[in-house]
Amino acid sequence: MSKRTYNFSPGPAALPVEILEQIRDELLDWKDCGYSVMESSHRDSKFIETAEEAEQNLRDIMSIPSNYKVLFCAGGASFQFAAIPLNFSGKNKNADYFCTGIWSEKAAKEAQRYCNVNIVAKTDSAQFMGIARKEQWQLSKEAAYVFYTPNETVSGIRFPTVPETHGVPLVADMTSCILQEDFDVNQFGLIFAGVQKNIAPAGMTIVIVRDDFMDQAMSFCPSLLNYKIIDEYKSMPNTPPTFSWYVANLTFQWVKKHGGVKAMEALSYKKSAKLYEVIDSTDFYSNKIHFKYRSVINVPFHLHDSTLDPLFIQEAEKNGIRQIKGHKSEGGMRASLYNGVNEEAVNALAEFMKAFEKRHG
């Protein structure tokens, strides 16, 4: 078997080897059925058992209260950019959006098709990039909800605290930080997350929605985007992405086994600190995000001489470090430190960065 590389992909992202090995072992004969979970009907009793177990495991590790529904929806998180205003702006066609990066900006642009979008705040780049100060926020008095992205994967900007919305339901795109940062679900009207970064293969999005925030859909909201209908069909209004659902359950079990979300969060701080220490100790590397708003999950950085970028990537790959190139809109490099990226991988990257500077600095 070829050696596995250190995979810093921003998504689809690395899965823990322990989970991959279990998938391998069960691939041809799942639950003694004599066939793969990929070949199982979603109506099969054993798959329904797995789906129910997945929901309970997620409820356990995130402490999801009983007055919240958990939906396993087909498709990527970007579907929710339309689903959210379609479900929640029927009675009040105003919605507040924090636009602090590419993904929240995309969400706001999509929502403008269905409701009046008020931009609460944007990034502040006077010197080092961050989020506009609270006194500059422009929250509406009659918004149906407030939308934000706690962690922006492309720029590496993170909200240090959950925004105060003064009673207006808060909607959070946690695609890049679910199961990696510890949140109190009670603070939110809705949480959603595409699974391809911290949970499972791409193709499914988890939606956690409060009961009293569900029965407001516009009359023309498509049935497959209507949360109430999805819930009535137990997340199976059509054939769901069964393989992603199955892997999600394995991941929830893995998180439980390894100390829960609090342990994942502590490890995230530890891993990211190792890279920021290298970046901040020299002028050879730089990160333009203000310390207060730095992500502990996605660490972007630039070399002082961008002409060295191709060589950095080439030499990194020779050292088994892959998918380190930054987003096309930002350039430079980006290390995504999801739960599937262990300390060994981070240590390898940190040592490579030091060695590369010695050779080319």
Side-chain angles (χ1 to χ4, degrees), residues 149-204:
T149 303
N151 183 78
E152 285 280 0
T153 60
V154 172
S155 58
I157 287 181
R158 170 180 176 264
F159 274 78
T161 58
V162 176
E164 173 56 57
T165 61
H166 308 291
V168 177
L170 182 61
V171 171
D173 177 357
M174 293 192 185
T175 296
S176 60
C177 58
I178 194 168
L179 305 189
Q180 198 164 0
E181 292 194 59
D182 189 33
F183 292 93
D184 179 0
V185 175
N186 289 290
Q187 292 181 282
F188 301 90
L190 182 144
I191 292 166
F192 71 97
V195 299
Q196 72 276 9
K197 299 180 185 293
N198 257 327
I199 299 174
M204 186 172 72

Side-chain angles (χ1 to χ4, degrees), residues 75-91:
S78 295
F79 274 111
Q80 305 308 314
F81 295 167
I84 288 162
L86 284 167
N87 275 274
F88 304 128
S89 59
K91 296 179 180 178

Side-chain angles (χ1 to χ4, degrees), residues 271-329:
K271 291 188 296 187
S272 60
K274 292 180 179 184
L275 295 187
Y276 286 126
E277 182 179 1
V278 175
I279 293 165
D280 295 337
S281 66
T282 175
D283 292 332
F284 190 82
Y285 300 107
S286 64
N287 173 283
K288 62 182 179 179
I289 308 302
H290 188 283
F291 291 95
K292 180 180 179 181
Y293 301 103
R294 279 180 169 179
S295 171
V296 297
I297 299 169
N298 306 99
V299 181
F301 60 93
H302 288 79
L303 281 66
H304 77 101
D305 180 359
S306 61
T307 63
L308 289 172
D309 286 3
L311 183 61
F312 184 93
I313 294 169
Q314 180 183 358
E315 291 193 8
E317 290 185 352
K318 288 181 180 179
N319 283 269
I321 296 166
R322 299 295 179 92
Q323 306 203 64
I324 197 73
K325 185 178 180 180
H327 190 273
K328 60 183 179 181
S329 66

Side-chain angles (χ1 to χ4, degrees), residues 50-327:
T50 295
E52 292 174 347
E53 186 179 90
E55 177 179 339
Q56 189 57 55
N57 282 328
L58 183 61
R59 285 185 178 276
D60 291 344
I61 58 180
M62 290 188 67
S63 299
I64 300 173
S66 60
N67 64 320
Y68 284 76
K69 303 293 186 183
V70 177
L71 311 177
F72 293 82
C73 303
S78 295
F79 274 111
Q80 305 308 314
F81 295 167
I84 288 162
L86 284 167
N87 275 274
F88 304 128
S89 59
K91 296 179 180 178
N92 184 331
K93 295 191 177 182
N94 297 309
D96 283 357
Y97 277 72
F98 284 89
C99 288
T100 54
I102 284 179
W103 293 110
S104 51
E105 289 169 0
K106 285 180 179 289
K109 184 176 180 180
E110 182 66 19
Q112 287 173 345
R113 296 162 57 89
Y114 308 107
C115 63
N116 300 317
V117 170
N118 169 59
I119 306 302
V120 177
K122 295 185 177 182
T123 52
D124 181 359
S125 56
Q127 184 175 3
F128 295 104
M129 288 184 67
I131 298 168
R133 298 186 304 276
K134 289 182 181 180
E135 55 267 27
Q136 297 176 315
W137 294 358
Q138 300 293 321
L139 289 162
S140 303
K141 292 182 179 180
E142 297 182 350
Y145 60 86
V146 179
F147 183 106
Y148 90 120
T149 303
N151 183 78
E152 285 280 0
T153 60
V154 172
S155 58
I157 287 181
R158 170 180 176 264
F159 274 78
T161 58
V162 176
E164 173 56 57
T165 61
H166 308 291
V168 177
L170 182 61
V171 171
D173 177 357
M174 293 192 185
T175 296
S176 60
C177 58
I178 194 168
L179 305 189
Q180 198 164 0
E181 292 194 59
D182 189 33
F183 292 93
D184 179 0
V185 175
N186 289 290
Q187 292 181 282
F188 301 90
L190 182 144
I191 292 166
F192 71 97
V195 299
Q196 72 276 9
K197 299 180 185 293
N198 257 327
I199 299 174
M204 186 172 72
T205 298
I206 293 170
V207 177
I208 303 165
V209 55
R210 201 172 63 211
D211 285 350
D212 65 350
F213 195 43
M214 279 192 67
D215 197 15
Q216 305 174 41
M218 294 182 182
S219 59
F220 53 84
C221 177
S223 297
L224 294 181
L225 294 181
N226 188 309
Y227 296 139
K228 186 175 182 181
I229 293 174
I230 295 170
D231 178 57
E232 288 173 353
Y233 281 87
K234 299 185 182 299
S235 297
M236 299 183 188
N238 63 343
T239 304
T242 52
F243 186 70
S244 291
W245 206 333
Y246 151 75
V247 178
N249 188 40
L250 299 185
T251 297
F252 303 154
Q253 293 170 349
W254 182 86
V255 171
K256 270 188 174 183
K257 177 181 176 180
H258 291 275
V261 179
K262 288 184 184 296
M264 299 296 111
E265 182 176 63
L267 188 57
S268 296
Y269 277 96
K270 186 177 181 181
K271 291 188 296 187
S272 60
K274 292 180 179 184
L275 295 187
Y276 286 126
E277 182 179 1
V278 175
I279 293 165
D280 295 337
S281 66
T282 175
D283 292 332
F284 190 82
Y285 300 107
S286 64
N287 173 283
K288 62 182 179 179
I289 308 302
H290 188 283
F291 291 95
K292 180 180 179 181
Y293 301 103
R294 279 180 169 179
S295 171
V296 297
I297 299 169
N298 306 99
V299 181
F301 60 93
H302 288 79
L303 281 66
H304 77 101
D305 180 359
S306 61
T307 63
L308 289 172
D309 286 3
L311 183 61
F312 184 93
I313 294 169
Q314 180 183 358
E315 291 193 8
E317 290 185 352
K318 288 181 180 179
N319 283 269
I321 296 166
R322 299 295 179 92
Q323 306 203 64
I324 197 73
K325 185 178 180 180
H327 190 273

